[in-house]
Amino acid sequence: MVISLDAELGWGFHDLEPLPTARVEAGRRGWETMLELCEEYEVPATWAVVGHLMLESCDGVHADHPAPEGWFDRERGAWRDREDLRYCPELVRAILESDVDHELASHSFSHALFGRPETDREFAAAELERSVELAGEWGQTVDSFIYPRNDVGHRDVLAEYGVGAYRGRSPTPDGIRGLLDSTVRARSMLVEPRVDEHGLVNVPASLFLFGFEGPARTVAESVWNDPMVVLARRGIDDAADGDGVFHMWLHPNNLTLERDDERMRTILSYLARRRAETDLTVETMVDAARRVAVLEGVDGTATGVDGRATANPHRRVAELGDGD
C-alpha cells in the first residue's frame, strides 16, 4: 500500500479562474485532519508539499525565478494579505514531527505544470532547485516528486536534481468512467512500480479518492454506499491478497465536509484492520522505490540524511540498464 497527498494550500489554484472557493479555504483543515487520521491508524504517507509553503515569508516578486509572465500575479495581488494560503511552515513541521514516519516529498516550488509548453526546462529546473534547497534547510532530501495536476514532464530534470521516484499517471480514469471500469469489469487496481529510462522509479497512482463527487456521489450514497470507499476497500483487499501495489492519493483540500472526513476515516480504518489480519504493509513512495531498486539488483543502496533511500541507487539502475 502507498498513500500520497498533494499538499498545496492556495498554490494548487493560484492560476485558476474562477476559484473553487470551498477547496481553497479547506486546505489547512484537511491537512490537519489527515495528519490526525494517519496518526490514529498509524499510517505513513508521502506528503508532497509545494516548496513555497516552507517559507516564513517572501516579497512575492521572485525576481530571479524564470516563471512565465503573470505566474505570481495572484500572490502579488489578490492574495498579498492571505499568508494563510501562501505559507505554512507549522504544517510542514507537523509532518516531520508526527509519530508516524511520513515522507516529505516535493510538489514543485510554486505548483508548476511540468507537462505544459510554457514550462520550459529552465522553469522546471528552477522549481526543482528551489524545492531541493528548501528541503535541505529543513534537514530533508527530496527523494520523491508528485507532478502538479499529474502533468508529467521534464523527468530528466528530476533525475538531475537527485529525485529518485515520481507518481505516474493512473491506468484507470477518474470519475464515473473509472468507477464503471473498476466495478463492471472487476478490473484490478494494483500497479507495479518500474524503473524508467531516466533511472527514476515510477510509482503509478491506482485510485484518486475524490474522483466521484457532486450530485452523483450524493445519489450513490443515498441508495448504496460511498462508491470510493467500495473501490478503496477492493484495492486494499487486492493488495493484501495479491502481488502488486495499491496506490491511493488525494489532496488535503478535498476534505471540505464532514462526510469527506468520514470517507477517509472509513478507508484508513479498513486498511488498519486488513494490515492486522494479513502481511499487508504500508510504504511511502521512497520506500517502494528503494524496494524496486533492490529487486532490480542494485547493490549498496545509499541513504539520505533521514535514513531513507536517495536517488543514487535509482540512477545506478539506469546506468545498468533496468537491472541488467
Side-chain angles (χ1 to χ4, degrees):
M1 279 291 308
V2 173
I3 300 173
S4 57
L5 299 100
D6 301 13
E8 50 198 35
L9 296 189
W11 290 99
F13 312 97
H14 75 104
D15 59 327
L16 298 181
E17 196 67 56
L19 289 172
T21 305
R23 288 188 59 194
V24 171
E25 301 298 338
R28 287 177 171 266
R29 173 196 175 278
W31 193 312
E32 293 169 348
T33 299
M34 282 304 304
L35 277 173
E36 291 170 1
L37 288 173
C38 286
E39 290 195 1
E40 179 178 352
Y41 294 104
E42 299 180 353
V43 173
T46 293
W47 289 75
V49 177
V50 169
H52 196 287
L53 298 176
M54 300 181 183
L55 298 173
E56 295 282 350
S57 63
C58 80
D59 59 8
V61 177
H62 306 289
D64 296 330
H65 195 74
E69 184 177 355
W71 183 248
F72 292 106
D73 280 359
R74 186 163 257 133
E75 181 188 22
R76 297 166 183 167
W79 285 356
R80 177 178 291 276
D81 298 324
R82 292 298 307 270
E83 293 188 359
D84 59 313
L85 300 180
R86 297 162 56 202
Y87 323 109
C88 65
E90 74 284 2
L91 293 179
V92 176
R93 191 172 297 112
I95 295 172
L96 299 178
E97 294 179 352
S98 172
D99 291 336
V100 180
D101 190 18
H102 295 301
E103 176 188 8
L104 184 67
S106 175
H107 201 38
S108 81
F109 173 68
S110 62
H111 207 262
L113 307 180
F114 275 49
R116 299 288 179 87
E118 60 267 28
T119 303
D120 59 19
R121 197 178 195 282
E122 183 184 14
F123 183 22
E127 289 281 303
L128 260 295
E129 181 176 4
R130 192 70 182 105
S131 296
V132 170
E133 287 175 352
L134 285 167
E137 293 174 10
W138 285 73
Q140 304 294 308
T141 57
V142 175
D143 299 313
S144 302
F145 187 83
I146 289 180
Y147 285 98
R149 297 184 196 148
N150 296 306
D151 200 357
V152 176
H154 296 291
R155 287 176 293 150
D156 60 321
V157 174
L158 269 62
E160 178 181 336
Y161 281 88
V163 177
Y166 65 96
R167 189 181 70 203
R169 294 188 182 94
S170 171
T172 303
D174 293 326
I176 295 177
R177 284 182 56 203
L179 180 66
L180 293 175
D181 188 51
S182 299
T183 303
V184 176
R185 302 181 189 178
R187 183 182 181 280
S188 173
M189 288 177 284
L190 298 187
V191 296
E192 186 174 355
R194 293 280 190 178
V195 178
D196 72 9
E197 66 271 25
H198 299 285
L200 305 171
V201 179
N202 175 9
V203 186
S206 297
L207 180 67
F208 174 43
L209 292 174
F210 287 83
F212 187 77
E213 302 306 303
R217 173 184 175 181
T218 301
V219 171
E221 289 178 339
S222 68
V223 297
W224 190 37
N225 294 312
D226 182 339
M228 301 312 296
V229 170
V230 173
L231 287 181
R233 284 174 172 166
R234 181 179 302 159
I236 292 168
D237 288 340
D238 287 346
D241 302 330
D243 184 18
V245 172
F246 179 54
H247 184 175
M248 306 185 296
W249 71 280
L250 69 152
H251 310 85
N253 58 48
N254 288 129
L255 277 64
T256 61
L257 301 170
E258 288 187 7
R259 71 174 185 173
D260 303 320
D261 302 354
E262 186 57 31
R263 169 182 286 177
M264 294 311 304
R265 178 179 295 279
T266 301
I267 291 171
L268 295 186
S269 174
Y270 188 75
L271 170 58
R273 193 181 92 194
R274 292 293 284 149
R275 186 172 52 178
E277 296 170 345
T278 67
D279 61 356
L280 177 67
T281 59
V282 181
E283 301 177 322
T284 60
M285 283 178 57
V286 70
D287 292 333
R290 184 178 187 180
R291 179 170 51 79
V292 169
V294 171
L295 290 174
E296 291 282 356
V298 178
D299 297 323
T301 302
T303 55
V305 292
D306 60 350
R308 297 184 185 276
T310 68
N312 292 333
H314 310 316
R315 284 198 187 126
R316 187 175 173 196
V317 170
E319 293 167 3
L320 294 173
D322 283 10
D324 292 338

